[in-house]
Amino acid sequence: MARIPQNTTDDVASALEEIETNGGNGVVEISGAEPLKVTHLGKVYFPKVMRTKGELMRYYDRVAPALLPIIDGRPLVLKRYPNGVDAEPFFQQNAPDDAPSSLRVETVPSEGASGRRIIGGDLYTLLYCTQLGAIDVNPWHSRIGSLDCPDYTILDLDPGAGATFTTVVHVARCLKELLDAAGLVAGVKTSGSRGLHIVVPLPPGTTEEAARLVAEILATQAAHEMPKEATVTRAVKARPEGTVYVDYLQNVVGKSVASAYSVRPRPDALASAPLAWSEVTGRLKPARFTMDRMIAELDERSAIWNEAMAATNRLDGIT
């Protein structure tokens, strides 16, 4: 049974700020969980914009009401940056052997073996991962109990050399037309970097193979209609210059894409922001979605995302 996410409180953010001000090491009390030890909150994670580990933790505390339901029950892939974005990161798939009792952990089959995975869904687990140096939040597309059946399929629009964000927008608009023609509703969000993510909710019980096929059909159609702007060629060196790679290959069990509201490990510390499709125009500026902006617009952005993800899609129109 999934845990009910603990509500974020001003007390947590205040405690984190006080700890950062007074040396950076301390303990945070989170309702319903054991005390969380936090360290080095004053460490600068994003030198370009001078954002600290403590600021990142306070950001996740603030957006937790919107973020936690999205990642609830999903295994998390941790990419850790304990020394900030300018240092070498490393992946962590399994929970540590000495994981605290309040950390949400489940045994998850993976590639013929089982691992003790950290599972999203509560504030303690979210802040614990951030304490480890995980900057972005990368959930599986499926949840515990139905790991072979993803809830959505994703198209990752990744601009290559010579491609502008305007090109990304053109490809996204083409995909929107294809989605509309197929009778599908999809959410769209900034990637937190140079691209966009299009997320298509799937009917319950959709298999991994079917989810990947839906994304492949849409991506291939877009590349056919816009050969000078979109490509599905996987090899980077073989892609036409100036094109956007429409990546449908993220739709495999165990793969992950940064969640909505996730901060990305990029110099500007931008967040992945849900968008209304009416915003996906040449006027869109992804760089506006800083951590502060996301907190200020959280109610608006979460309403947009929740409506899109609640869509009841059928796959009959995909051919």
Side-chain angles (χ1 to χ4, degrees):
M1 180 180 295
R3 298 183 188 178
I4 299 173
Q6 299 112 327
N7 291 328
T8 183
T9 66
D10 288 338
D11 291 343
V12 173
S14 298
L16 289 167
E17 187 169 13
E18 183 177 354
I19 291 169
E20 182 173 354
T21 302
N22 293 282
N25 302 324
V27 173
V28 177
E29 299 288 341
I30 298 176
S31 177
E34 64 188 282
L36 174 66
K37 182 180 178 181
V38 296
T39 59
H40 307 298
L41 297 193
K43 182 178 288 186
V44 175
Y45 268 17
F46 303 91
K48 181 179 177 180
V49 291
M50 293 304 292
R51 290 285 194 170
T52 65
K53 178 181 181 179
E55 289 176 288
L56 181 65
M57 294 193 80
R58 294 197 295 277
Y59 169 82
Y60 278 127
D61 173 66
R62 294 298 192 189
V63 303
L67 174 58
L68 292 180
I70 294 174
I71 63 175
D72 186 34
R74 301 188 193 279
L76 303 178
V77 178
L78 273 59
K79 191 174 184 180
R80 296 174 57 181
Y81 294 77
N83 293 307
V85 297
D86 289 345
E88 192 70 23
F90 61 94
F91 281 98
Q92 178 175 330
Q93 296 282 0
N94 291 331
D97 293 337
D98 59 349
S101 60
S102 293
L103 186 68
R104 190 173 180 186
V105 176
E106 298 276 358
T107 300
V108 174
S110 179
E111 297 180 357
S114 295
R116 297 177 66 254
R117 297 300 186 94
I118 296 175
I119 309 298
D122 59 69
L123 184 60
Y124 183 96
T125 298
L126 177 61
L127 294 185
Y128 174 87
C129 293
T130 314
Q131 158 59 27
L132 291 180
I135 290 175
D136 47 0
V137 180
N138 296 294
W140 284 26
H141 305 341
S142 55
R143 302 179 194 261
I144 293 295
S146 55
L147 290 175
D148 293 329
C149 298
D151 300 304
Y152 47 76
T153 192
I154 292 181
L155 293 161
D156 181 1
L157 308 190
D158 182 13
T164 65
F165 189 71
T166 299
T167 309
V168 175
V169 168
H170 289 168
V171 175
R173 297 306 313 184
C174 175
L175 284 162
K176 178 65 165 64
E177 292 178 5
L178 294 171
L179 288 161
D180 290 345
L184 296 174
V185 174
V188 59
K189 63 187 183 73
T190 64
S191 68
S193 184
R194 299 177 58 236
L196 291 172
H197 295 156
I198 296 175
V199 183
V200 185
L202 296 170
T206 302
T207 64
E208 173 198 347
E209 182 180 4
R212 188 171 62 253
L213 182 59
V214 168
E216 182 178 0
I217 290 171
L218 290 165
T220 302
Q221 287 178 339
H224 176 74
E225 294 197 11
M226 308 181 72
K228 294 183 178 180
E229 295 184 288
T231 182
V232 291
T233 301
R234 187 173 186 182
V236 174
K237 292 183 179 180
R239 296 174 193 165
E241 185 174 357
T243 58
V244 173
Y245 176 46
V246 187
D247 186 0
Y248 60 85
L249 295 173
Q250 300 295 332
N251 298 291
V252 177
V253 171
K255 288 278 190 178
S256 63
V257 172
S259 172
Y261 317 111
S262 174
V263 176
R264 303 307 308 281
R266 304 289 189 268
D268 292 326
L270 301 179
S272 179
L275 303 167
W277 275 103
S278 60
E279 296 178 280
V280 184
T281 70
R283 297 186 299 275
L284 178 62
K285 305 295 182 187
R288 71 183 290 267
F289 294 109
T290 62
M291 289 190 283
D292 292 338
R293 175 72 68 173
M294 283 300 304
I295 292 171
E297 297 183 7
L298 187 62
D299 288 346
E300 173 190 353
R301 296 293 158 191
S302 61
I304 290 169
W305 193 248
N306 292 343
E307 181 180 1
M309 292 301 99
T312 305
N313 281 329
R314 294 172 58 90
L315 303 182
D316 311 47
I318 286 286
T319 55

